[in-house]
Amino acid sequence: DGGITQSPKYLFRKEGQNVTLSCEQNLNHDAMYWYRQDPGQGLRLIYYSQIVNDFQKGDIAEGYSVSREKKESFPLTVTSAQKNPTAFYLCASSIVMNTEAFFGQGTRLTVV
Amino acid sequence: DQQVKQNSPSLSVQEGRISILNCDYTNSMFDYFLWYKKYPAEGPTFLISISSIKDKNEDGRFTVFLNKSAKHLSLHIVPSQPGDSAVYFCAATEANQAGTALIFGKGTTLSVSS
């Protein structure tokens, strides 16, 4: 079954710790994205990647880092520099940029 | 500054009636628009899209209308069903501009009562 898998679904971390969220897709899509959802804020773009070994900052990239070493994988690291890391994180992919994006089930990160 | 705006945070409709969700955009370069539906604690799922060369696109109970001069689009759901209760996001992009991701609105929560 093709799709996007985010893991884990729920994640708890202590303040000041870095944490990495996993995103894997087997749709053979070139483009991948990370969005963050907060109540009343919609979906805000953190980072995106058009192709392997390339990625660009989105609107709210501060405190986050990504890598795109494989076409299938686009992990997101939430660093200790991110001031408000508690949120619902969504990974998505599309065949190429600017086309219909398919989303994973999301990871709820809670920093305590 | 928000480029995609959904000014109604919520909408309540009775089962069987029409639901109309609205979306405005400010960037005149946007030429491809999408609607997504999202249930709590899940990822959004794609509903319907429209290119700027059209002013209407229909898929079953869902119809999207685009008014380019007003920079406005709307999603019509007819007839509305309780299972349609979810958050609906409007998204826009420049289809032929490299390096442009989907820009989302803040969403409208639709509640359909039986």
Side-chain angles (χ1 to χ4, degrees), chain B residues 87-105:
Chain B
V87 179
Y88 289 78
F89 290 100
C90 169
T93 189
E94 298 176 47
N96 296 313
Q97 177 67 37
T100 307
L102 296 181
I103 306 298
F104 286 83

Side-chain angles (χ1 to χ4, degrees), chain B residues 12-88:
Chain B
S12 294
V13 171
Q14 282 192 321
E15 182 179 7
R17 307 294 290 268
I18 184 172
S19 295
I20 301 176
L21 296 102
N22 294 303
C23 178
D24 298 295
Y25 60 96
T26 57
N27 188 340
S28 58
M29 301 302 292
F30 286 153
D31 56 6
Y32 186 56
F33 305 89
L34 308 90
W35 284 94
Y36 282 82
K37 174 180 179 180
K38 185 182 180 303
Y39 293 116
E42 292 185 9
T45 54
F46 170 75
L47 266 179
I48 192 169
S49 64
I50 188 166
S51 164
S52 60
I53 62 172
K54 293 185 173 183
D55 54 18
K56 176 182 173 181
N57 189 27
E58 196 170 352
D59 183 2
R61 296 186 297 114
F62 302 92
T63 302
V64 56
F65 295 92
L66 176 62
N67 182 334
K68 290 184 288 293
S69 60
K71 296 193 183 69
H72 176 83
L73 62 155
S74 60
L75 175 68
H76 293 212
I77 306 174
V78 184
S80 300
Q81 300 173 353
D84 296 329
S85 298
V87 179
Y88 289 78

Side-chain angles (χ1 to χ4, degrees), chain B residues 2-18:
Chain B
Q2 265 194 287
Q3 298 186 72
V4 178
K5 300 178 185 180
Q6 294 178 256
N7 293 319
S8 299
S10 62
L11 175 67
S12 294
V13 171
Q14 282 192 321
E15 182 179 7
R17 307 294 290 268
I18 184 172

Side-chain angles (χ1 to χ4, degrees), chain A residues 6 9-10 33 35 37 40-45 48 50 59 88 90 97-106 108, chain B residues 32 34 36 38 40-46 87 89 93-107:
Chain A
Q6 289 186 243
K9 192 167 177 63
Y10 299 97
Y33 318 82
Y35 287 89
Q37 185 188 14
Q41 291 294 322
L43 305 180
R44 294 184 290 169
L45 183 64
Y48 63 92
Q50 298 187 72
D59 299 322
F88 189 55
L90 287 157
M97 291 289 292
N98 312 340
T99 58
E100 173 195 336
F102 295 84
F103 283 83
Q105 291 298 293
R108 168 74 61 186
Chain B
Y32 186 56
L34 308 90
Y36 282 82
K38 185 182 180 303
E42 292 185 9
T45 54
F46 170 75
V87 179
F89 290 100
T93 189
E94 298 176 47
N96 296 313
Q97 177 67 37
T100 307
L102 296 181
I103 306 298
F104 286 83
K106 292 188 175 183

Side-chain angles (χ1 to χ4, degrees), chain A residues 16-96:
Chain A
Q17 289 182 335
N18 291 357
V19 60
T20 297
L21 282 60
S22 169
C23 178
E24 303 278 331
Q25 54 100 358
N26 59 5
L27 299 167
N28 200 32
H29 285 173
D30 280 329
M32 296 189 75
Y33 318 82
W34 276 103
Y35 287 89
R36 167 178 171 148
Q37 185 188 14
D38 296 282
Q41 291 294 322
L43 305 180
R44 294 184 290 169
L45 183 64
I46 304 173
Y47 267 98
Y48 63 92
S49 168
Q50 298 187 72
I51 201 165
V52 175
N53 293 322
D54 176 75
F55 49 84
Q56 304 294 330
K57 292 181 179 180
D59 299 322
I60 56 166
E62 186 177 348
Y64 299 98
S65 65
V66 293
S67 63
R68 186 87 186 275
E69 297 175 1
K70 297 187 300 182
K71 188 174 186 177
E72 302 79 20
S73 179
F74 191 40
L76 173 74
T77 297
V78 184
T79 75
S80 56
Q82 168 49 233
K83 290 182 172 47
N84 296 296
T86 294
F88 189 55
Y89 290 88
L90 287 157
C91 179
S93 71
S94 59
I95 295 174
V96 293

